Amino acid sequence: MKILISDYKDSMMPAHDYETEVLKAGLPDAEIVVYEYTDEKRDEFLEQLKDASALLTAFTRIDKEALDVAKELRVVSMNATGYDNVDLEEATRHSVGVCPVGEYCTLDVAEHAIALMLALNKNLKAYTYDMEHNYQWKYDTPQVPRRIGDQVLGIFGFGKIGKRVAKLAQGLGMKVIAHDPYVDMEVARALDVELVDKDEIFRRADVISNHMNLGKSNQSYFTAAEFAKMERKPIFLNLGRGLSVNEADLADALDRGLVRAAGLDVLFDETPELKGHILANRDNVIITPHAAFYSEQSFIDMQRISCENIVNFLTGHKEKVFKLVNEV
């Protein structure tokens, strides 16, 4: 059988030795093919996919066209927690299992969110920008920061990562409120978190952090209308998906002071053109290259789990697949 590892260059592992080791341990006769994906060479990718039993990817688009071509495909394993690039309905219709990693970097992403929040609240980007661009040594150039423990954190998406962010924020003395229609009120209450509607977060939060999975209901979730409702002029953090935020509207909100700062680990485009980007080169915006997951341990866990998902699925042990999101 053939296992295809394919993604955009910047989203692939620097080397594939460990992935190969895990796959070969469970599927010793498998042929493992690594193909660097580009949108311009999609026909070549589809040719590679045609006889593959499994695909390991994170951001390659797997739509009806791809699934119609891939007659031998049985499983798409994501080395990511999201799977919005896969047409789940079509995958199910073609009896192709879809397996995101599910859990490998919860603490890492939560730490990243808190790091962005603290850096922006203490004006670290503004000070660095002022010194490096204006050669000024002044403490009172940016807005006066407030102690983080006196502020309210509003979380969108109260899953594993959202819960961990809440715990870390509470350790700093913050009051935490959250919005998630899929979470039981009692679960939140047990964690000393108040579950509220989204407009109450816009009204009360000094910091807003997005950790929602992406679906049809929350694409372009944060637009001019939402930023205009943010009464506390909050720090805005996005560690969910870039497609949840209208970037032009966020830029306008920053320009108008509706949002006092932004920390973004994702942008609308997964491989963005940074030169001249509307949100780049600002003293109150920190952008990181979808790096919140990145640590020594998470990197190992991500590769191991995504490859073990392929092995377990193809050897008939679906019960051992870490997270199978469709019924096949």
Side-chain angles (χ1 to χ4, degrees):
M1 67 179 65
K2 174 180 171 180
I3 299 172
L4 178 62
I5 301 173
S6 184
D7 218 323
Y8 295 96
K9 180 179 180 180
D10 292 342
S11 300
M12 294 182 81
M13 298 299 111
H16 301 281
D17 297 345
Y18 184 54
E19 291 169 320
T20 299
E21 177 187 332
V22 176
L23 290 168
K24 283 288 191 179
L27 300 165
D29 297 328
E31 174 194 9
I32 298 169
V33 176
V34 177
Y35 179 81
E36 186 179 299
Y37 179 85
T38 65
D39 291 329
E40 294 74 23
K41 295 183 178 179
R42 186 165 174 82
D43 287 344
E44 287 186 12
F45 164 74
L46 294 177
E47 190 64 30
Q48 289 285 350
L49 188 64
K50 188 178 295 184
D51 59 346
S53 298
L55 171 67
L56 177 60
T57 190
F59 299 106
T60 308
R61 187 176 79 257
I62 307 301
D63 54 12
K64 184 178 187 302
E65 177 191 34
L67 291 161
D68 283 345
V69 164
K71 302 297 186 184
E72 302 297 319
L73 192 64
R74 294 171 58 193
V75 61
V76 177
S77 182
M78 317 295 296
N79 51 4
T81 56
Y83 49 93
D84 49 278
N85 53 308
V86 179
D87 187 325
L88 203 58
E89 185 176 326
E90 282 295 321
T92 303
R93 192 171 69 82
H94 284 78
S95 298
V96 174
V98 179
C99 312
V101 176
E103 167 63 52
Y104 74 100
C105 62
T106 296
L107 181 56
D108 306 280
V109 176
E111 288 175 349
H112 200 88
I114 297 298
L116 288 173
M117 177 184 71
L118 292 174
L120 290 165
N121 189 65
K122 294 296 286 185
N123 296 314
L124 300 192
K125 176 71 180 290
Y127 287 133
T128 303
Y129 189 95
D130 202 26
M131 286 189 289
E132 293 182 352
H133 290 77
N134 302 322
Y135 309 108
Q136 291 199 102
W137 182 268
K138 295 185 68 177
Y139 71 86
D140 58 351
T141 302
Q143 57 190 315
V144 181
R146 291 171 52 214
R147 288 177 178 165
I148 204 69
D150 294 336
Q151 299 185 50
V152 174
L153 171 63
I155 297 174
F156 281 88
F158 201 56
K160 291 177 182 177
I161 294 173
K163 291 182 177 71
R164 182 63 69 135
V165 171
K167 184 176 181 180
L168 294 177
Q170 289 167 335
L172 295 169
M174 300 184 80
K175 166 70 177 175
V176 180
I177 58 179
H179 176 69
D180 192 323
Y182 305 103
V183 172
D184 187 88
M185 191 78 71
E186 292 304 316
V187 172
R189 188 174 291 120
L191 298 171
D192 198 25
V193 172
E194 187 181 352
L195 217 54
V196 299
D197 64 37
K198 62 181 182 180
D199 284 336
E200 188 160 354
I201 289 186
F202 296 147
R203 182 174 62 83
R204 293 172 56 190
D206 301 285
V207 181
I208 291 175
S209 194
N210 176 41
H211 301 282
M212 293 185 293
N213 289 328
L214 186 70
K216 292 179 180 178
S217 64
N218 57 15
Q219 291 190 28
S220 294
Y221 191 90
F222 298 98
T223 67
E226 285 69 42
F227 294 126
K229 294 178 182 178
M230 296 179 183
E231 296 185 17
R232 303 285 296 172
K233 298 178 173 53
I235 293 171
F236 178 77
L237 308 175
N238 187 17
L239 293 95
R241 280 289 188 261
L243 291 174
S244 292
V245 178
N246 183 304
E247 291 178 349
D249 289 352
L250 175 57
D252 182 64
L254 287 161
D255 291 340
R256 295 169 58 196
L258 302 176
V259 171
R260 60 187 159 113
L264 310 170
D265 188 51
V266 286
L267 293 175
F268 192 87
D269 189 343
E270 183 58 36
T271 54
E273 175 56 57
L274 295 175
K275 187 176 181 180
H277 193 283
I278 195 169
L279 292 168
N281 200 33
R282 292 171 177 261
D283 67 0
N284 61 345
V285 176
I286 297 176
I287 302 173
T288 52
H290 208 159
F293 79 96
Y294 191 44
S295 72
E296 181 179 354
Q297 190 57 49
S298 71
F299 213 52
I300 292 170
D301 289 347
M302 175 178 63
Q303 294 177 85
R304 176 183 54 79
I305 294 169
S306 60
C307 291
E308 285 179 348
N309 280 344
I310 290 175
V311 171
N312 286 323
F313 193 96
L314 293 181
T315 55
H317 298 291
K318 292 182 185 178
E319 75 283 358
K320 294 182 180 180
V321 171
F322 193 87
K323 187 176 183 182
L324 181 61
V325 295
N326 61 337
E327 294 185 13
V328 292

